[in-house]
Amino acid sequence: MSKHKLAIVGVGKIAIDQHIPSIEETGLFRLAALVSQRGVEHDGLPSFRTQADMLSAMPDVTAVAICTPPDVRHGLVREALRAGRHVLMEKPPTASLMELEDLRAEAERAGRTLFATWHSQFNAAVDAARERLAGARIRSVRVDWKEDVRKWHPGQEWIWQAGGFGVFDPGINAVSILTRVLPFPPFVASADLTFPANRDTPIAASVVFRRPPDVPGARFTADLDWRQTGGEIWTITIEVDGGPTLTLSRGGTCLAVDGTTVVDEADREYRRIYRRFHALVEAGESDVDAAPLRVVADAFLVGRRLVTDAFDW
Ligand code: NAP
């Protein structure tokens, strides 16, 4: 089995918390370089200020993991694919749907792997929920995705800038679980998007979903909120008609059926992501699932803008 050399581009919170330890633990890629605007270093690895510098200095680096904010990813991914590298993208993959489609075509043209990751989908509990819901008639769905922005995104100004997604930066994780486990596509019917008076992205959102016309059942709501204090709530509850209630909690790492926990497995998402990336590279395939981004884009398209108090750190 070949061991690809990989570079991380953007050495922020998620690169340090998850990517570096997962690459090291799974041992399928060798971390060979970093690209960091600020010059972050790790373990004596070469660290470059731009991806272009790394690509030309290290032709033996065959794969990159782009861990920057989404709005700069399109240019970076294109550059890496055109230089013949395989690419893993953090979520949300891009700031727009057209950019994502462009990258999918670019990967095809380059004959390289492009992997748009949705880390919350890489949980055993999510797989188990998907299996139980296949073909099920669903009575109700309820999403609560609430966390303290000061705790989870300290000082990250990019999340408040246009293209930074605001509360949909974590909220798209809930959406990625919905698009994976529901046996029908969730259509956005309406959305209330609450923007702080001094910011360009929402601090809270209430999104109402409807089912396709041929799927019976009521509309359902996802409530996303960054003003949560006293502990985060990342929970999806799904009631099956005449059957059990499934509760996916703690961000999709835990599944309870009628209150009894059947899967509880924290912190494996990124190990699985790197295994999947390696398998895709070895098979010469790509995995670019646009569904969660499409749902969030639709929420911005049909959403109503509400304004609340200014936000400061
Ligand atoms: P972060 O701490 O702000 O790190 C992002 C890093 O990207 C920065 O530290 C910077 O690193 C680099 N960068 C390159 N261009 C940049 C630009 N124009 N503006 C700001 N930074 C730029 O953010 P993060 O939390 O790691 O999130 C990065 C991505 O991972 C996001 O898409 C996010 O949704 C996703 N994610 C985050 C988490 C989490 O828990 N934080 C979880 C899952 C996924 P250098 O100075 O080293 O270049």
Side-chain angles (χ1 to χ4, degrees):
M1 191 167 49
S2 62
K3 201 161 185 175
H4 293 271
K5 289 190 182 172
L6 177 140
I8 288 181
V9 181
V11 194
K13 185 173 186 312
I14 199 63
I16 289 164
D17 289 357
Q18 292 291 347
H19 287 261
I20 291 175
S22 300
I23 292 162
E24 290 172 348
E25 196 183 304
T26 49
L28 295 166
F29 293 89
R30 185 178 317 151
L31 185 57
L34 302 176
V35 175
S36 173
Q37 295 177 330
R38 293 163 301 147
V40 173
E41 298 194 351
H42 171 75
D43 215 11
L45 292 171
S47 181
F48 298 84
R49 296 291 175 147
T50 71
Q51 181 181 249
D53 288 347
M54 185 278 295
L55 292 172
S56 58
M58 300 195 70
D60 54 336
V61 165
T62 50
V64 295
I66 312 287
C67 302
T68 64
D71 69 329
V72 292
R73 228 175 262 138
H74 179 238
L76 289 166
V77 175
R78 241 170 176 254
E79 180 180 66
L81 288 169
R82 288 187 172 192
R85 299 341 201 256
H86 305 292
V87 181
L88 177 157
M89 293 186 276
E90 251 301 346
K91 50 63 46 174
T94 46
S96 78
L97 283 164
M98 195 159 164
E99 287 177 351
L100 187 57
E101 288 315 314
D102 178 63
L103 295 180
R104 189 204 300 274
E106 196 67 50
E108 229 173 271
R109 269 195 295 275
R112 292 294 180 269
T113 294
L114 178 62
F115 182 20
T117 63
W118 297 105
H119 65 86
S120 298
Q121 294 183 345
F122 283 80
N123 281 298
V126 172
D127 288 341
R130 178 182 163 88
E131 275 165 34
R132 285 170 186 266
L133 293 172
R137 281 171 63 99
I138 290 173
R139 189 182 321 141
S140 71
V141 182
R142 155 110 225 133
V143 179
D144 290 288
W145 223 256
K146 299 174 182 178
E147 63 183 38
D148 182 350
V149 65
R150 293 183 175 87
K151 174 178 173 186
W152 290 96
H153 303 271
Q156 293 180 353
E157 281 298 325
W158 61 266
I159 55 174
W160 294 116
Q161 291 159 8
F165 286 77
V167 75
F168 285 99
D169 177 73
I172 203 167
N173 297 333
V175 171
S176 76
I177 295 175
L178 285 183
T179 59
R180 178 99 186 123
V181 305
L182 290 180
F184 53 80
F187 290 89
V188 178
S190 63
D192 281 350
L193 311 176
T194 303
F195 291 74
N198 60 341
R199 302 287 180 168
D200 291 331
T201 58
I203 195 166
S206 185
V207 183
V208 178
F209 292 96
R210 65 172 176 79
R211 310 175 191 216
D214 56 329
V215 175
R219 295 178 174 213
F220 56 94
T221 304
D223 280 322
L224 321 176
D225 207 320
W226 256 347
R227 297 165 295 189
Q228 172 80 5
T229 51
E232 41 287 342
I233 301 168
W234 296 314
T235 301
I236 299 175
T237 309
I238 301 172
E239 276 184 308
V240 174
D241 235 359
T245 297
L246 307 190
T247 309
L248 276 163
S249 59
R250 301 208 294 271
T253 61
C254 183
L255 175 66
V257 177
D258 283 339
T260 303
T261 300
V262 294
V263 184
D264 188 358
E265 189 193 54
D267 215 21
R268 304 308 300 165
E269 298 171 356
Y270 281 83
R271 277 69 170 169
R272 292 205 175 99
I273 281 174
Y274 275 95
R275 287 194 196 99
R276 171 91 175 126
F277 186 38
H278 187 260
L280 288 169
V281 169
E282 292 290 298
E285 292 171 3
S286 287
D287 178 351
V288 182
D289 172 12
L293 185 61
R294 224 180 278 130
V295 169
V296 169
D298 279 357
F300 278 104
L301 263 181
V302 305
R304 187 166 70 126
R305 181 187 168 91
L306 308 173
V307 178
T308 189
D309 299 344
F311 175 87
D312 289 300
W313 297 104

